[in-house]
Amino acid sequence: MAMETGVTLGHYKIISSIGAGGMGEVYRAKDSRLNRDVAIKVLPTDFTNDDDRLRRFEQEATATSALNHPNILTVYDIGEHEGAPFIVAELLDGEELRDRLNEGAIPLRKTIDYAQQIVSGLSAAHEKNIVHRDLKPENLFITNDDRVKILDFGLAKLREPKSNIHGSEDATKRALTDPGVVMGTVGYMSPEQVRGHAADQRSDIFSFGVILYEMLTGRQAFRGESVVETMHSILKDDVLVADEDGARVPPAIDKLMRRCLEKRPEHRFHSAHDLGFALDALASPTSSSGSGLTTVARELPGESTARMNWLGRAAWAAAGIFLISTLIFGALYFRRTEERRQAMRFSISPPEKNSFSQAFAISPDGQQIVFVATGTSGATSLWVRPVASVEPRQLAGTDGASFPFWSPDSRLIGFFSTGKLRKIEAGGGPSQTLADASGDPRGGAWAPDGTIIFSPATTVGLMRVSASGGAVSELTRLDTEIGQTSHRWPSMLPDGRHFLYFGRGPQAAQQGLYVGSLDSPEPKFLMATPVSGAYAEDGGTGYLLFVREGTLMAQRFDTKSLALAGEPTPLIQGVLTFPGEVGPTAYSAFSASAGHLIYRTGDQQTTRLTWFDRSGKSIGPIGDPAGYHEPVLSGDGTKVIFGRSEGAATQDIYLQDLSRGNITRLTFEPGADATPVLSADETQVIFYSNRGGKGNFYRKATNGAGNDELLMESEGGTYPDSCSRDGKYLLYEKNGGAKTKVDLWLLPLTGGGNPIPYLETDFEEAHAQFSPDGRWIAYASNESGRAEVYVQSFPIGGGKWQISTTGGDQPQWRNDGKELFYISLDRNLMAVSISGGTPIEVGRPELLFQTITPAGGLTDDRNNYVPAQDGKRFLVNTLADTTNSQPLTFVLNWAADLKK
């Protein structure tokens, strides 16, 4: 929190602000009790709820107050003001070492002096088992009398002593920072910190070596165009030899520095005490090694002698010849280096006890990754991971989040949650609601002018809204003449006015990528594809990235003419996709920005139909892993009918005899046959098919005899849900367009007659099921802002009840109608008792067990499970592999693979 002049914290009175950093704000204050000026670091109140930040702040106080050394900042006191903790320390006059280094290399004699003081302070800290872990020029302060002070032990680690003395105070200390967490600052990290391994005293010694190199040469030891390149340099590269770097470093100190910079900790100095002894020996003019150092120190510029002047002129002449040859060599070398550029890959694992969900995105500056992760409870949330770290940070208040996207300045994240479009600071804080998005949203993009483009539902075009909120307006309109049912997955092009998006239809030929404009409603068709794509750039050349048959492809794309050029080039095989045929989202699991690429591999749709009892105990699968969809059980429980994916654009209907185990394929036509429903007498299966470019209903005998019979013609976006037990009606979902979204309709199955609406509202109603007695219909609706399960009388007029209380979908009746099951938003299988006549009595939802099913939603599969007749067993479509726990792959310099 910002402090005004004159505010008092106990007996400390604020005089002025000194500065602020990630760990707090610093003020000059007067200690009235001892009549001295002090420095006070205060943790802002809006960070006091951040347990990690608070823990680190307390570490700084604990660690630093345990030290009393002239080269370490002295801590006088700690306290709390209006809920915010603070540290009182000595007030220093001078400047950071970084300020000195900004002017170039530091003279050798002064470098050795500073190095000895730094090592002396480190040695004192290490003797108390305190490791700094963030040693860098910004944390080293040079006072006006040239004394070095080590600052900010906020990342210190209290190491357990190796001895195990029962009852001692040291033996009760715990490590306040766990292995596997990258702490510190890129460029000054040790290799073990980059890898996320435990850091001990030798990590500080490596960081000291980096600082020593910079003081001697005026240049950073490890540097790259991005943090990933810098981290790679720390792990793989040796520092340049002195002559190549233009600095004159005596061999003895060069050797000492290189020992500090050994990649393996065991090859460095074992302690700061040993390092200090070696430094003292070098600095001593009586030692053989020190004499060389002293001689060079005497010959530094400014100590004028005739010999020095002559050597200087000779050195400049030699340098001129060397410079010309170096320029010639450098031009050839770097041209060859450019030709030999290679892509580098890094794996990114999900957070502990979490798995990756569908979506992730890399920030426009290429420095951060946001992803959706699912915890053990099944709930999703947003996590942000800086590319320079191995430890992601969970964003509080993002429960239920999906499909995040970045603002152009990489500061804010847009996402969807609880039926709303929201935004949040990448660093955390409260989220802000921007617009309604209650229809199972499908992605967003953030334009430089502050316009957010988003897909609020799966049955409409793209919408636009200001990043500060306000009115929502239509941006793209579905082309119903070609059967479009959805626009989704927008992404901006470099000019900030045009954008890519995916247009979905009932058949592969009607689906593809389009270019839209903020200034014009007329889109431009780019290419046919079943999944989303994105724009990426490398060295000024633009590419369209898209997935074809599981392989990520790159094709040159001119952003001025908005046209593709040349032939596509394969980049990566096995990229995870969710093809846009029936149910899946048409999402491609990759993201590209700032020369970087991140992707996932695998097959998300590999599942197994597995029996579970009411406690969640697995009874066993009924078949091999495959791409199963929407199982339906026969009344006697001896047969199961399901859809099964055979590829990106193919799905067919199958029947499995559970008593004998044999499987019969019922449909054979090209395209997608899906959403099977059993007729009342179970002699026929009714299903959706996109044959002929439409979304028609067909029926086929369950014994496989005869041809497929066309039952109803449709223009797409229409799927069967349930047959009434008396065989009179088929209940189905119909795309009602922008006004009524998804509606429930009835198709008479006897006596002819036209379809009639059952439920048409401004919301989405889907996944409906007749009750066994035909008097009720259970369905899911987002009228409350999220999916909930309702029961309504059939026909309408006898009442309506909300069944789920905290979100729900995929309702299924027990065979006697006395219990209703559904899947909660966190994928738990729930049970609710239903009793009485009219009105019915609804019990309290009971948790049965958590399922491991494909992601649900109002427009995904109607059901991922089916109950047995008695409700004591459940056949669940369970994810067969652990794709969600597989790592993401981060690629640096991805375009280098195009030249292979």
Side-chain angles (χ1 to χ4, degrees), residues 163-203:
S163 59
N164 186 16
I165 305 174
H166 295 285
S168 73
E169 181 179 348
D170 284 346
T172 65
K173 291 179 181 177
R174 67 180 183 88
L176 294 179
T177 305
D178 298 325
V181 179
V182 166
M183 304 291 281
T185 302
V186 175
Y188 300 91
M189 290 181 179
S190 64
E192 56 268 30
Q193 285 177 291
V194 170
R195 294 188 175 99
H197 297 167
D200 60 14
Q201 299 174 359
R202 294 167 297 180
S203 291

Side-chain angles (χ1 to χ4, degrees), residues 43 128 192 204 227 256 269 299 347 372 396 422 451 520 534 557 575 644 851 884 886:
L43 187 67
K128 292 185 177 292
E192 56 268 30
D204 283 351
V227 291
L256 178 144
F269 290 98
E299 295 177 353
S347 292
V372 180
R422 304 175 187 273
T451 298
S520 171
F557 179 67
V575 172
R644 193 170 77 183
T851 67
N884 280 356
Q886 291 180 3

Side-chain angles (χ1 to χ4, degrees), residues 422-628:
R422 304 175 187 273
K423 70 176 181 181
I424 191 171
E425 290 273 355
S431 66
Q432 179 184 341
T433 299
L434 301 178
D436 179 75
S438 57
D440 210 3
R442 291 290 183 258
W446 202 313
D449 69 353
T451 298
I452 289 182
I453 307 165
F454 69 106
S455 168
T458 59
T459 56
V460 298
L462 298 174
M463 312 300 283
R464 66 193 297 171
V465 69
S466 169
S468 58
V472 176
S473 60
E474 185 179 69
L475 180 58
T476 66
R477 182 167 297 179
L478 300 178
D479 187 346
T480 56
E481 291 185 3
I482 64 171
Q484 279 190 345
T485 59
S486 172
H487 291 167
R488 53 183 68 183
W489 311 127
S491 62
M492 296 305 302
L493 291 175
D495 65 0
R497 307 305 298 173
H498 289 88
F499 55 91
L500 296 173
Y501 68 92
F502 177 80
R504 180 175 175 174
Q507 198 172 39
Q510 298 163 340
Q511 298 189 127
L513 296 178
Y514 292 78
V515 178
S517 172
L518 293 175
D519 308 311
S520 171
E522 296 300 322
K524 177 178 180 177
F525 180 73
L526 203 55
M527 67 158 42
T529 175
V531 289
S532 60
Y535 175 84
E537 229 174 59
D538 179 72
T541 302
Y543 295 91
L544 176 69
L545 300 183
F546 62 96
V547 178
R548 176 178 293 170
E549 297 180 352
T551 298
L552 182 63
M553 313 289 289
Q555 187 170 0
R556 293 191 61 175
F557 179 67
D558 187 339
T559 57
K560 293 183 179 179
S561 64
L562 303 177
L564 294 166
E567 294 296 321
T569 302
L571 275 177
I572 300 161
Q573 292 184 336
V575 172
L576 181 63
T577 59
F578 302 79
E581 295 300 328
V582 180
T585 61
Y587 177 75
S588 299
F590 73 88
S591 176
S593 181
H596 304 328
L597 173 69
I598 187 169
Y599 67 92
R600 283 177 61 196
T601 59
D603 181 5
Q604 181 79 15
Q605 301 304 305
T606 301
T607 58
R608 295 191 81 164
L609 295 176
T610 306
W611 283 108
F612 293 87
D613 65 17
R614 286 180 73 99
S615 69
K617 179 182 178 181
S618 175
I619 302 173
I622 67 168
D624 296 328
Y628 296 103

Side-chain angles (χ1 to χ4, degrees), residues 823-888:
I823 299 290
S824 66
L825 297 185
D826 53 8
R827 303 189 193 182
N828 287 321
L829 180 61
M830 311 294 291
V832 177
S833 62
I834 305 292
S835 61
T838 304
I840 62 173
E841 295 181 7
V842 178
R844 178 176 297 178
E846 173 192 357
L847 170 64
L848 297 184
F849 60 90
Q850 186 176 17
T851 67
I852 309 174
T853 60
L858 285 179
T859 58
D860 291 320
D861 287 356
R862 293 173 307 118
N863 60 292
N864 282 313
Y865 74 102
V866 59
Q869 276 189 316
D870 57 5
K872 294 182 179 179
R873 294 186 305 153
F874 302 86
L875 188 61
V876 183
N877 191 25
T878 302
L879 288 172
D881 55 28
T882 54
T883 299
N884 280 356
S885 63
Q886 291 180 3
L888 303 176

